[in-house]
Amino acid sequence: MGRLKTFSRRAFLIGSVAVAGGVAFGAYMVKKPHANPLLADLGDGEAALTPYVRIDADGVTLITPRADKGQGAYSVQAALIAEELDVELDQVKVDPGPPSAAYWNTALADEAAQFMAPGDGISNDAAYGVLSSVMKLIGMQITGGSTTVPDGFVKLRQAGAVARETLKLAASQKSGVAVGELKTKAGAVLLPDGTSLSYAELAPLAADIEPPQDIELRPASEWRLIGKPMQRVDIVAKSTGTQSYGIDHKVEGMVHAAIKLNPAQSGPLLSFDAAEALKMRGVKDVIPVTGGIAVIADNTWRAFQAAEAVEAEWGPAPFPATMDEHWGALSASFTEDLQDSRKRDDGDVEISIAETGELVKAEYRAPYLAHAPLEPINAIVRIDDDSAEVWTGTQVPRFIQNNVGKIAGIDPENVTVHVLYMGGSFGHRLEDEVVKQAAEIAVQMKGTPVKLTYSREEDLSHDFTRQIAMARMRGVVRNGQVETYDLGIAMPSVVVSQMARQGFSVPGSDSQIVAGAWDQPFAIPNHRVTGYRAPELAPISSWRSVGASSNGFFYNSGLDELIHAAGADPLEERLRLCSNPEARKVLEAVGEMSGWDGVLGNGRGRGVALTQSFGVHCAEVVEVSNTEDGIRIDKVYVAAEVGTVVDPVNFDNLVKGGVIFALGHAMNCEITYTDGIADQNNFDSFQGMRMYQCPEIEVRGLENGERVLGIGEPPVPPAAAALAGAIFAATGTRLREMPFNKFVDFV
């Protein structure tokens, strides 16, 4: 039986008590709960324990601690709670709640354990136990890694079920009717005579009732919401232009700030002259901050203009000045001394290669990439003598608490963080530099809220990008089959770069260097994947699907070249090699969807790729046409195994968005450096996919697996390789480096 099913029986402690005249319900997947995040705000005689459901005179509020950056996290969390609570989504409000160790992400430990000890069994369970304990102890409240659904699928339903049954006990006390005769529907308890008692009127009674501990979750056959098309809780606001994002937020009395950073990222500010800027209308002050200067003004536009007027002398970037040096550092990293991991080593690669005279070899490259969400990063910070308040879109609210506390010289528990809707992220909001810089300004203006907004140019050119990476493949084919596959991957450590900015040292190997490559479901007789730790270059961070974003391209492209050398069919040989039943069904599904039956011909081509990332097997077929004006992407087919599709509409859109995101970057995007300065700083030089280039995309979610998994990131890794395979089939041109527009034109 899967881990989630086991936990649902034995690892939840649930409680409920009054909250501001109402009642709160929650669930822990731990033996000893963290401190309650709501206790500090309660009055005399009131209490609360880990709330996910808050009920008061104003109705029902569902606490949704995984941040929403456009992927529908608030809606899916609300649906999981509402499923068992018996409320409709249009009846409830959602609130991300306060930062709290109580909201630690249980699924992150499961994902990390797969890297330490892949698969099921004693070693995997032991790894999970260690990581889970560590993450619980430090209260790792993070949104990322496609973990929102895996983290909440059981515990949020459990919270809704406990709330429902406690409210029924309250109704029984109030009415004298036995609990077994009561039903719930649409936010009310129904008595046998038709009387309806709303949850709001029952909340005061429920506050004094010990909640039941062992509640069976409803079987899938009784689900009202899960698996059914839903209207997201934010869809009306987003469709009418009334949704407020972080960049829209206002606080009474706030001033506006803009920033001018060293164009050579992470380089120092040596000196500056703000005389002209200080003369400009609305400008209040110009002050130094880490990496540059900040202008404080009475509106954002005036702050932007004044920042441009500041003259500054900058020091050099602390990384190589040219791209040749960056690629050279990667090329020099394929050495035994720099080996970071060898997580797969089946058969004997060296003997197989020594015995053949027909060695297949290739080298692949993936560039730096910016996150480039539509909403530039922004934050509002107010710092007082012994407290602080932050308003921002973030995936790491507890990191923000800690860092603002350090800057302000106060206890992090006295930092209040309001998590706001984000206009995109793709990993961008796992960083908190904008909050730290806003805090540096605010600590010099105590009592005044400071709103810092990056210009598009500052946001894109000072992003902590996706890692640059290089791979080298060697392989052997024999008798029309792939016999040997040796893949080496070199990249700097994403984890080391990212966590250093939070003050953490990360020992050991970095699993992201080989993520999406070492654990692929193919039983090749001689099969080796080695990771090499390149030196730190430009600062990097988690980009949608992290290491797998480039490794999906490397692994599938290398496999494609071997299959072609063997004279085999790209899909049929993958099916022959596939050793995982779930992965096989995914490949079969995408083959059936695309009507795969060999070569298309007449200037048309198609490619296929499968990548297992974040526990999800995702396969894609891309079809292209080679026209007189260039390559046209005609259609994409996607199949993915996620165990349970919670919301089919959102699932479909997340997959399609991931494909468009991945293909657009593979086609057109890179960040390059000249003298340590990013050459691309806006969407004219970092274009992604244009609307007229967008293909038709067909999606199928499979539900054969036991684990319930997320889908935000898995559609990204296979896309570039499937596109490269299609272009090769249509043109005979083998693309081994992204972006592809260096070698072919797209229409």
Side-chain angles (χ1 to χ4, degrees):
M1 180 169 286
R3 181 179 295 113
L4 286 174
K5 294 181 181 177
T6 303
F7 281 160
S8 70
R9 293 199 306 268
R10 65 176 170 84
F12 288 90
L13 301 178
I14 300 100
S16 65
V17 278
V19 180
V23 64
F25 302 90
Y28 273 119
M29 201 168 101
V30 290
K31 292 182 178 179
K32 187 175 181 181
H34 280 292
N36 181 351
L38 298 180
L39 286 177
D41 296 326
L42 300 179
D44 292 340
E46 298 176 338
L49 182 61
T50 50
Y52 284 98
V53 180
R54 185 170 64 237
I55 303 172
D56 55 28
D58 295 326
V60 179
T61 299
L62 305 183
I63 306 301
T64 53
R66 299 293 163 259
D68 200 303
K69 41 195 166 52
Q71 84 282 34
Y74 288 167
S75 201
V76 74
Q77 290 172 93
L80 291 170
I81 301 169
E83 181 64 72
E84 294 282 345
L85 183 59
D86 279 337
V87 293
E88 303 302 323
L89 290 180
D90 60 3
Q91 290 182 285
V92 302
K93 296 173 287 185
V94 298
D95 185 335
S100 172
Y103 297 127
W104 68 286
N105 190 326
T106 60
L108 281 175
D110 196 45
E111 179 64 29
Q114 293 293 316
F115 288 114
M116 290 176 62
D120 296 322
I122 295 174
S123 60
N124 180 262
D125 289 343
Y128 173 84
V130 170
L131 289 164
S132 180
S133 298
V134 170
M135 291 182 180
K136 181 254 181 178
L137 287 171
I138 64 176
M140 190 67 78
Q141 183 183 353
I142 290 180
T143 303
S146 293
T147 56
T148 294
V149 169
D151 172 57
F153 188 74
V154 172
K155 74 180 182 183
L156 296 183
R157 287 188 295 138
Q158 188 83 15
V162 169
R164 181 193 72 229
E165 293 305 310
T166 308
L167 289 160
K168 287 168 68 177
L169 289 171
S172 178
Q173 284 189 11
K174 183 179 179 71
S175 66
V177 177
V179 171
E181 298 181 43
L182 301 176
K183 296 181 179 180
T184 52
K185 184 178 181 181
V189 177
L190 307 180
L191 306 186
D193 64 2
T195 301
S196 175
L197 302 176
S198 73
Y199 288 172
E201 64 182 291
L202 292 171
L205 277 174
D208 296 323
I209 295 174
E210 182 71 21
Q213 296 294 311
D214 294 316
I215 297 175
E216 290 291 327
L217 297 180
R218 289 170 175 165
S221 61
E222 297 180 15
W223 287 345
R224 302 172 300 109
L225 300 173
I226 297 173
K228 313 294 193 301
M230 304 178 206
Q231 179 171 295
R232 274 172 46 168
V233 296
D234 58 2
I235 198 64
V236 172
K238 288 184 174 179
S239 298
T240 57
T242 56
Q243 178 64 59
S244 178
Y245 297 90
I247 203 166
D248 303 312
H249 200 75
K250 298 177 182 178
V251 175
E252 185 177 356
M254 73 183 185
V255 296
H256 299 262
I259 204 159
K260 184 173 186 176
L261 299 174
N262 187 333
Q265 189 174 9
S266 303
L269 169 68
L270 302 180
S271 65
F272 71 96
D273 182 351
E276 291 302 314
L278 288 168
K279 297 176 185 177
M280 298 174 72
R281 182 183 177 187
V283 174
K284 300 177 182 295
D285 203 357
V286 178
I287 62 174
V289 295
T290 300
I293 57 93
V295 173
I296 298 93
D298 58 1
N299 67 41
T300 296
W301 178 248
R302 288 173 181 164
F304 281 170
Q305 297 299 104
E308 289 298 311
V310 175
E311 296 182 3
E313 181 182 1
W314 310 105
F319 56 83
T322 68
M323 290 310 301
D324 284 345
E325 292 174 273
H326 288 247
W327 291 118
L330 291 180
S331 183
S333 296
F334 292 90
T335 66
E336 186 175 344
D337 288 345
L338 294 178
Q339 181 176 316
D340 186 74
S341 68
R342 179 165 286 166
K343 291 178 175 290
R344 187 160 194 164
D345 194 1
D346 303 339
D348 197 318
V349 167
E350 296 301 336
I351 289 178
S352 175
I353 289 175
E355 290 178 346
T356 181
E358 299 181 13
L359 181 64
V360 181
K361 299 173 64 175
E363 182 177 279
Y364 306 96
R365 295 185 175 193
Y368 293 113
L369 290 173
H371 297 88
L374 285 178
E375 179 195 17
I377 55 175
N378 57 86
I380 302 172
V381 178
R382 185 187 66 235
I383 293 176
D384 299 309
D385 288 337
D386 55 4
S387 65
E389 202 161 1
V390 180
W391 297 261
T392 192
T394 181
Q395 296 168 246
V396 287
R398 286 184 40 82
F399 285 177
I400 283 175
Q401 272 190 316
N402 188 57
N403 289 328
V404 172
K406 288 179 180 178
I407 292 168
I410 60 177
D411 189 325
E413 293 302 316
N414 292 333
V415 179
T416 301
V417 179
H418 305 277
V419 179
L420 307 177
Y421 265 104
M422 289 166 265
S425 172
F426 318 114
H428 202 33
R429 294 290 194 160
L430 287 165
E431 301 286 345
D432 63 349
E433 293 303 292
V434 64
V435 177
K436 289 187 281 191
Q437 290 160 344
E440 289 183 38
I441 303 167
V443 80
Q444 301 180 60
M445 304 178 66
K446 285 192 173 180
T448 299
V450 175
K451 182 173 186 176
L452 173 59
T453 306
Y454 272 43
S455 68
R456 174 73 63 197
E457 291 77 12
E458 291 287 352
D459 184 46
L460 204 145
S461 61
H462 291 89
D463 185 17
F464 301 110
T465 65
R466 183 187 79 170
Q467 71 282 349
I468 191 173
M470 179 184 290
R472 289 176 178 168
M473 178 273 289
R474 302 184 302 164
V476 175
V477 299
R478 196 184 304 276
N479 300 323
Q481 297 180 345
V482 177
E483 180 178 282
T484 300
Y485 187 12
D486 183 26
L487 185 67
I489 301 167
M491 67 174 70
S493 172
V494 176
V495 174
V496 166
S497 182
Q498 187 170 359
M499 297 312 292
R501 291 187 286 277
Q502 297 297 341
F504 293 117
S505 175
V506 184
S509 64
D510 181 357
S511 61
Q512 290 304 317
I513 293 176
V514 291
W518 74 271
D519 53 351
Q520 300 311 290
F522 299 110
I524 299 168
N526 307 292
H527 195 184
R528 186 168 69 187
V529 177
T530 309
Y532 297 92
R533 177 83 66 93
E536 291 188 51
L537 300 168
I540 53 179
S541 186
S542 296
W543 189 89
R544 191 173 184 177
S545 72
V546 204
S549 68
S550 50
N551 292 341
F553 169 62
F554 297 157
Y555 186 90
N556 278 281
S557 293
L559 187 56
D560 268 342
E561 296 214 40
L562 291 171
I563 292 172
H564 178 72
D569 178 85
L571 178 59
E572 292 302 318
E573 181 67 352
R574 279 177 169 84
L575 283 167
R576 186 190 71 80
L577 293 168
C578 189
S579 58
N580 181 286
E582 291 179 13
R584 172 174 286 276
K585 289 177 181 178
V586 169
L587 281 169
E588 290 171 343
V590 83
E592 183 267 324
M593 292 165 66
S594 63
W596 188 285
D597 57 0
V599 178
L600 290 176
N602 297 319
R604 299 176 64 221
R606 60 184 170 197
V608 61
L610 178 142
T611 302
Q612 194 256 140
S613 64
F614 303 92
V616 174
H617 297 286
C618 183
E620 299 177 17
V621 169
V622 174
E623 294 182 353
V624 305
S625 294
N626 185 21
T627 74
E628 291 183 357
D629 298 318
I631 297 295
R632 182 182 67 241
I633 306 175
D634 299 317
K635 193 160 184 177
V636 180
Y637 304 88
V638 190
E641 171 58 68
V642 292
T644 297
V645 176
V646 175
D647 178 358
V649 175
N650 202 46
F651 179 92
D652 185 78
N653 287 323
L654 269 175
V655 173
K656 289 175 177 175
V659 169
I660 293 167
F661 183 84
L663 291 179
H665 284 87
M667 292 161 59
N668 298 323
C669 294
E670 64 179 337
I671 295 293
T672 57
Y673 295 96
T674 302
D675 294 329
I677 300 172
D679 298 310
Q680 300 79 17
N681 67 6
N682 212 318
F683 289 127
D684 60 334
S685 53
F686 196 83
Q687 290 189 10
M689 179 180 281
R690 296 300 185 101
M691 289 184 70
Y692 68 83
Q693 296 174 315
C694 188
E696 181 183 353
I697 304 172
E698 184 178 325
V699 176
R700 183 180 299 178
L702 277 62
E703 299 177 284
N704 300 305
E706 202 170 84
R707 295 176 66 204
V708 178
L709 299 163
I711 197 59
E713 297 179 270
V716 174
L723 174 58
I727 292 171
F728 176 74
T731 68
T733 299
R734 184 69 73 181
L735 301 178
R736 299 187 177 100
E737 179 179 350
M738 297 184 284
F740 297 153
N741 65 359
K742 291 181 175 181
F743 312 101
V744 297
D745 295 323
F746 290 93
V747 295

